[in-house]
Amino acid sequence: MKRVKAACICQTLHFMLKEDVAHDWAVKQVEQEVEQYKNTLERNRTQYRIVEQTVQPDGSIIIKVIKQYNSSPVGDYLN
């Protein structure tokens, strides 16, 4: 029999600009979407660590995050 001792998932997320709106507005929307994503993680009590957050030259944002997988214990992954 096996049991999951610890589990996390590593993701690279690219929050891209919408093309059908003005550039400044699209950048604001991306910033809001990133904050909403972080708030959702907090609200769902998902343990996570943002490894890197990079603003691209076009204003889009790339986030590298390690987060809890389902409700499994995270072990040493987030240290």
Side-chain angles (χ1 to χ4, degrees):
M1 176 184 257
K2 64 182 177 182
R3 297 205 191 281
V4 175
K5 292 287 221 171
C8 280
I9 186 168
C10 181
Q11 292 181 325
T12 301
L13 305 170
H14 189 179
F15 294 87
M16 298 171 55
L17 302 178
K18 292 186 178 179
E19 297 179 9
D20 58 344
V21 297
H23 181 75
D24 292 341
W25 180 248
V27 170
K28 283 185 180 184
Q29 284 182 322
V30 165
E31 291 170 351
Q32 290 174 352
E33 188 177 1
V34 169
E35 286 306 312
Q36 182 180 356
Y37 175 74
K38 292 176 184 177
N39 290 337
T40 300
L41 290 172
E42 295 287 337
R43 187 173 55 250
N44 293 336
R45 294 188 175 104
T46 302
Q47 296 180 49
Y48 71 97
R49 180 168 54 101
I50 294 180
V51 178
E52 184 179 335
Q53 181 170 328
T54 309
V55 177
Q56 301 301 298
D58 68 349
S60 64
I61 299 175
I62 294 178
I63 292 180
K64 293 183 181 180
V65 61
I66 299 172
K67 65 180 186 175
Q68 183 178 21
Y69 183 72
N70 293 335
S71 60
S72 299
V74 296
D76 293 335
Y77 287 111
L78 299 180
N79 293 339

